């Protein structure tokens, strides 16, 4: 069980749970949002190109995001597995990832869907904005990111469900409680 996606609305706690699970499984947690933010902080050409999308709560174009992920998955630490956090987020990204995995003769093992209630999500994002000073966490942008998730990314759950890959995990509760549920979700036998 080493090629895993974690999905859920912004603020569902994906990043935290991805880090914990990846450590447990000895695979890298790859967050496209973190990679974009690191590039923005470092002022790389990629960072300059993508900043306006993150600031507005809009998705970075697939062409940019896909090539970045292809490069990251080709790094040696991802050869035996990875946990993708925040990718894919569009149907075009699903298809692109299918292609990348097919090229290496591998496939996804499981998709974890973290579910939370929206009020809790908005509260978490607000708290994180205060703590981290993220420029994409103003109230307006928080709302926009929720909308974009519902429009673009929620439908991906259905696609992966049809493949029998999705494990739904209740994301409400403490970090430890959720981490225990996530650990169960990847250790359960599953039918492809
Ligand atoms: P995250 O930290 O995962 O919430 O991502 C923060 C922001 O990075 C998103 O609001 C998008 O602007 C951008 N981003 C991250 N992952 C993707 C992706 N797979 N496709 C497009 N944009 C992305």
């Amino acid at each position: 069980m080493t090629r895993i996606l974690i999905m859920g609305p912004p603020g569902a706690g994906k990043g935290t749970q991805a880090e914990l699970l990846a450590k447990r499984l000895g695979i890298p947690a790859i967050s496209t949002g973190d990679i974009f933010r690191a590039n923005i902080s470092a002022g790389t050409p990629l960072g300059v190109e993508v900043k306006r999308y993150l600031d507005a709560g809009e998705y970075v174009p697939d062409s940019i995001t896909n090539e970045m992920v292809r490069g990251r998955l080709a790094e040696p630490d991802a050869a035996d597995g990875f946990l993708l956090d925040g990718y894919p987020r569009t149907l075009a990204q699903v298809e692109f990832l299918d292609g990348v995995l097919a090229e290496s003769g591998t496939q996804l093992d499981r998709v974890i869907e973290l579910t939370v209630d929206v009020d809790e999500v908005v509260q978490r994002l607000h708290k994180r904005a205060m703590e981290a000073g993220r420029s994409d966490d103003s109230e307006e942008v928080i709302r926009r990111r929720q909308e974009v998730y519902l429009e673009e990314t929620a439908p991906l759950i259905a696609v992966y469900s049809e493949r029998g890959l999705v494990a739904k995990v209740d994301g409400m509760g403490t970090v430890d409680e959720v981490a225990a549920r996530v650990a169960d979700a990847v250790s359960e036998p599953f039918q492809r």
Side-chain angles (χ1 to χ4, degrees):
M1 184 70 65
T2 53
R3 291 182 180 83
I4 300 171
L5 310 183
I6 187 160
M7 298 181 65
K14 290 190 299 291
T16 305
Q17 294 300 331
E19 292 289 342
L20 291 171
L21 180 63
K23 201 167 170 191
R24 194 186 172 102
L25 297 176
I27 55 179
I30 299 173
S31 157
T32 43
D34 281 353
I35 300 174
F36 287 136
R37 281 186 290 275
N39 276 275
I40 291 170
S41 300
T44 68
L46 175 66
V48 170
E49 202 175 355
V50 303
K51 183 175 188 306
R52 64 194 166 102
Y53 299 105
L54 275 86
D55 283 349
E58 303 292 342
Y59 285 172
V60 173
D62 289 332
S63 53
I64 298 173
T65 307
N66 282 338
E67 286 312 320
M68 183 181 84
V69 169
R70 181 204 287 281
R72 180 62 187 88
L73 292 182
E75 285 177 29
D77 66 333
D80 293 327
F82 53 78
L83 200 173
L84 276 170
D85 160 18
Y87 181 94
R89 264 166 144 120
T90 65
L91 285 170
Q93 292 178 12
V94 170
E95 284 165 19
F96 185 87
L97 179 61
D98 285 344
V100 169
L101 295 176
E103 279 167 22
S104 61
T106 59
Q107 54 190 341
L108 290 176
D109 295 304
R110 186 150 294 187
V111 176
I112 297 165
E113 180 195 4
L114 272 188
T115 61
V116 283
D117 85 47
V118 174
D119 288 344
E120 163 104 13
V121 157
V122 172
Q123 251 178 32
R124 279 188 195 178
L125 287 175
H126 211 78
K127 191 163 164 247
R128 189 170 73 187
M130 311 283 269
E131 286 166 3
R134 271 179 55 160
S135 60
D136 62 346
D137 273 350
S138 76
E139 203 176 320
E140 191 189 338
V141 173
I142 289 171
R143 224 176 295 122
R144 180 63 193 146
R145 288 168 67 223
Q146 300 294 335
E147 274 172 22
V148 174
Y149 177 81
L150 283 176
E151 285 164 16
E152 302 262 357
T153 303
L156 272 49
I157 304 280
V159 172
Y160 287 123
S161 287
E162 275 171 26
R163 300 185 194 177
L165 290 175
V166 177
K168 222 187 235 297
V169 173
D170 178 3
M172 305 292 287
T174 66
V175 168
D176 287 349
E177 283 164 357
V178 177
R181 291 180 205 133
V182 169
D184 282 351
V186 293
S187 60
E188 278 165 18
F190 96 120
Q191 308 90 33
R192 195 185 294 279

